[in-house]
């Protein structure tokens, strides 16, 4: 009988975590509602009581009248955890990561380091102050993406310097067709970068910021 009870508990836990996994595809605003109502599925609830696991079926059974709590819900992380994690389980003293962020590959990290150095050299050689400002902004963005510092990226992407990046290049082009082409490419790269960072897509952000560096670097080379 005890063995059957343990098997029943294990199956309940397995079913619960399968459903938790499916919740990751929902919008954050719906996840809590989904999991809070998870107990209603099949007319039961997974309850933790005094360190033991029990399956409460409606208002019946030995577990039905015991006080307990549902397992922690997956939510968006905050603070330092947000830099490495997409989904955390709250309900305890520390945040436990349930789904880690997409990571930058070693190759992408190497290419970004090279791009950052190239932009730094171009900034040092630039004689125009506004062009130097644009190059320094791009160099900063590459460094933040390289280290996956999303909190700082969010602030930088909302800054006036980033917002004016494309228009500044268009102004500096002076109507030159080839430079306008690079300016247009840089604006597209910047838009892709902002979208990738908002979704915390590390590899996409890496490709976008390297594209931005290439566009701005080409502009500076032809300036």
């Amino acid at each position: 009988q005890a063995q059957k009870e343990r098997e029943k508990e294990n199956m309940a836990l397995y079913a619960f975590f399968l459903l938790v996994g499916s919740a990751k595809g929902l919008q954050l605003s719906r996840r809590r509602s989904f999991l809070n109502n998870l107990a209603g599925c099949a007319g039961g609830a997974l309850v933790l009581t005094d360190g033991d696991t029990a399956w409460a079926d409606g208002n019946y059974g030995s577990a039905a009248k015991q006080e307990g709590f549902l397992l922690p819900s997956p939510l968006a992380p905050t603070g330092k955890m947000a830099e490495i994690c997409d989904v955390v389980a709250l309900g305890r003293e520390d945040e436990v990561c349930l789904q880690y962020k997409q990571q930058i590959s070693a190759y992408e990290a190497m290419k970004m380091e090279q791009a950052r150095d190239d932009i730094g050299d171009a900034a040092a050689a630039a004689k125009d102050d506004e062009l130097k400002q644009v190059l320094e902004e791009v160099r900063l963005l590459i460094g933040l993406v390289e280290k996956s510092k999303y909190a700082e990226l969010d602030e930088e992407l909302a800054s006036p310097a980033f917002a004016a990046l494309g228009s500044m290049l268009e102004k500096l082009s002076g109507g030159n067709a080839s430079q306008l082409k690079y300016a247009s490419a840089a604006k597209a790269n910047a838009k892709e970068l902002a979208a990738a960072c908002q979704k915390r897509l590390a590899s996409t952000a890496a490709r976008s910021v390297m594209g931005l560096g290439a566009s701005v670097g080409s502009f500076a080379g032809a300036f």
Side-chain angles (χ1 to χ4, degrees):
Q1 181 66 28
Q3 178 66 24
K4 289 183 179 180
E5 289 296 323
R6 283 194 295 272
E7 290 177 357
K8 188 175 182 181
E9 292 169 4
N10 289 337
M11 288 298 294
L13 282 169
Y14 179 70
F16 178 82
F17 284 113
L18 280 178
L19 287 170
V20 167
S22 68
K24 291 190 289 186
L26 298 176
Q27 294 179 355
L28 288 175
S29 60
R30 298 176 59 195
R31 273 190 202 134
R32 182 178 289 277
S33 176
F34 174 87
L35 290 162
N36 284 345
N37 291 307
L38 186 58
C41 297
L46 184 65
V47 180
L48 301 183
T49 57
D50 299 328
D52 296 324
T53 306
W55 185 260
D57 186 12
N59 293 323
Y60 302 94
S62 60
K65 297 181 181 180
Q66 298 178 18
E67 294 183 0
F69 56 89
L70 290 175
L71 292 175
S73 301
L75 297 172
T78 57
K80 289 289 185 181
M81 184 65 81
E83 295 180 4
I84 61 169
C85 190
D86 278 331
V87 180
V88 293
L90 300 182
R92 42 186 290 169
E93 293 180 0
D94 57 337
E95 292 182 332
V96 178
C97 185
L98 297 180
Q99 179 178 323
Y100 285 92
K101 289 186 180 300
Q102 180 188 59
Q103 299 297 307
I104 293 171
S105 70
Y107 176 75
E108 289 167 337
M110 178 190 71
K111 296 297 287 183
M112 279 194 290
E113 182 179 4
Q114 181 182 342
R116 180 165 45 82
D117 290 343
D118 290 344
I119 291 295
D121 292 341
K127 292 181 172 56
D128 185 275
D129 289 340
E130 291 181 323
L131 178 58
K132 186 186 291 288
Q133 178 183 336
V134 170
L135 289 164
E136 289 292 355
E137 172 69 11
V138 173
R139 185 173 184 271
L140 173 62
L141 290 168
I142 294 173
L144 293 176
V145 173
E146 188 180 356
K147 297 178 181 178
S148 298
K149 292 190 173 182
Y150 288 106
E152 294 178 41
L153 270 168
D154 289 340
E155 293 180 7
E156 195 59 37
L157 294 173
S159 70
F162 180 78
L165 193 150
S167 58
M168 182 74 74
L169 290 176
E170 289 175 344
K171 172 189 170 185
L172 290 169
S173 73
N176 181 281
S178 62
Q179 288 185 315
L180 279 173
K181 179 181 177 181
Y182 294 134
S184 178
K187 288 179 72 174
N189 295 140
K191 184 177 180 180
E192 292 171 0
L193 174 62
C197 289
Q198 184 178 22
K199 296 178 181 178
R200 303 304 195 242
L201 300 176
S203 288
T204 306
R207 291 193 297 272
S208 298
V209 81
M210 284 190 285
L212 178 61
S215 299
V216 174
S218 296
F219 183 97
F223 188 71

